Amino acid sequence: MELVVFILTALIALFGAGAMLISRNAVHSALFLLLNFGAIAVLYLLLQAPFLFVTQLIIYAGAIIVLFLFVVMLLGAERDDQETDRLAWQRPVALVMAGLLLAEVVYVFTSGVNIGAINAPAVADFASPEAVATALFTRYLFPFEVTSIILLAAVIGVVVLSRRATHDHAAVATQATDLTQLSERR
Amino acid sequence: MTMVVPTAYYVLLAATLFTMGALGVMIRRNALILFMSVELMLNSANLALVAFAQARQDVGGQVLVFFVMVVAAAEVAVGLALLVAIFQSRQTTDVDDISTLRG
């Protein structure tokens, strides 16, 4: 039963990823990526990770995809590159390299790694939200605090980057002789 | 609580998704799609981490996935802000057109 769910979800995830790559419309790509993230969230549930299931839905499906969609709409960049690839030879090479990468991973994994050796005896509810929180706030407390600095840096960086436009306005304002020109620019 | 789906299946799925993400970075020229492909790769790495965490019955792998998610969120926010700034000055999201640093 669990295997059937896994296979169906894996197929949905692969379909989402493939359709994201092929789709010509950036909005469609973002929505196919959402499908893929949802499928991966279901896999987290199968892997006894309810906390990550919820986090995946909130952060990836809720925040990141919405951010992508906002930017696509903001830029009006939904129609795509019209096949103006300046390095035309890059595409077949990329396909070969990707095939090699996959073959390599599968080979290493099937020949070198003995997965059965690392299997630990099952612990009931080893990753309940409570257990994750305990690990996060005791053993991994320092990295957890560092994430707050990372997020703060990201927030400040985004604010600085998007303030660039208003800086231009300020430059215009100091140079403009009449204020009507300024309001037009804005 | 017997494990019905072998960990190997999850890791092979993660490897396939990672390869698709790498392929997307290589064949697509739209910067937005490149970011989505990077997200796909991060997600496949997360999937492998959770699979191994379940195999070892160790919560550490899931904590690491949490940190990866935080970094991914920060990366997307900064990356998309950069993209908007580039688009405002150059009117394009095609990474081939953003070649100012070319020698």
Side-chain angles (χ1 to χ4, degrees):
Chain A
M1 180 58 203
E2 209 171 297
L3 193 64
V4 175
V5 176
F6 170 79
I7 290 171
L8 282 177
T9 320
L11 286 177
I12 293 173
L14 289 172
F15 168 77
M20 183 209 80
L21 291 188
I22 294 168
S23 174
R24 290 278 124 210
N25 188 324
V27 174
H28 295 174
S29 285
L31 292 177
F32 281 125
L33 192 62
L34 176 62
L35 180 68
N36 181 35
F37 286 169
I40 288 180
V42 173
L43 291 179
Y44 286 168
L45 214 49
L46 278 183
L47 284 167
Q48 304 170 272
F51 172 71
L52 287 178
F53 165 75
V54 175
T55 320
Q56 168 90 1
L57 286 184
I58 292 174
I59 294 187
Y60 275 109
I64 291 186
I65 292 292
V66 170
L67 200 57
F68 269 118
L69 288 174
F70 262 122
V71 170
V72 170
M73 284 194 298
L74 188 68
L75 302 186
E78 54 264 41
R79 76 256 171 273
D80 195 33
D81 34 23
Q82 294 113 25
E83 291 305 301
T84 50
D85 203 336
R86 245 155 269 171
L87 301 167
W89 50 269
Q90 200 181 8
R91 193 163 293 218
V93 174
L95 283 170
V96 173
M97 300 279 270
L100 277 178
L101 178 64
L102 186 58
E104 199 174 351
V105 170
V106 172
Y107 172 74
V108 168
F109 193 71
T110 49
S111 67
V113 185
N114 186 6
I115 279 289
I118 65 168
N119 277 348
V123 183
D125 251 6
F126 81 101
S128 64
E130 192 187 350
V132 175
T134 307
L136 208 52
F137 286 109
T138 54
R139 204 172 149 200
Y140 300 97
L141 182 63
F142 180 66
F144 182 72
E145 294 297 336
V146 170
T147 57
S148 64
I149 297 176
I150 293 177
L151 287 175
L152 182 67
V155 168
I156 294 174
V158 168
V159 170
V160 168
L161 278 170
S162 42
R163 267 180 62 87
R164 211 182 56 90
T166 38
H167 267 299
D168 289 351
H169 282 306
V172 169
T174 51
Q175 286 163 10
T177 45
D178 59 337
L179 287 171
T180 53
Q181 194 190 350
L182 176 65
S183 59
E184 267 174 34
R185 294 269 193 123
R186 188 173 289 147
Chain B
M1 192 169 283
T2 52
M3 193 173 58
V4 185
V5 186
T7 309
Y9 290 8
Y10 285 104
V11 179
L12 287 178
L13 174 67
T16 314
L17 288 175
F18 186 91
T19 309
M20 291 171 97
L23 188 64
V25 171
M26 287 189 281
I27 64 173
R28 295 304 295 266
R29 300 269 63 92
N30 187 337
L32 278 164
I33 312 280
L34 296 197
F35 271 117
M36 291 182 201
S37 301
V38 171
E39 289 305 309
L40 185 59
M41 287 195 276
L42 286 167
N43 254 281
S44 68
N46 282 351
L47 181 60
L49 278 171
V50 178
F52 282 125
Q54 199 248 13
R56 298 182 66 92
Q57 297 286 302
D58 183 354
V59 82
Q62 298 196 6
V63 173
L64 187 52
V65 169
F66 175 77
F67 291 138
V68 171
M69 280 179 177
V70 170
V71 174
E75 172 248 329
V76 162
V78 175
L80 290 179
L82 275 173
L83 202 58
V84 171
I86 290 171
F87 191 84
Q88 278 172 352
S89 64
R90 309 194 65 119
Q91 323 300 329
T92 182
T93 56
D94 190 328
V95 287
D96 278 344
D97 292 337
I98 307 164
S99 55
T100 317
L101 281 178
R102 187 181 223 161

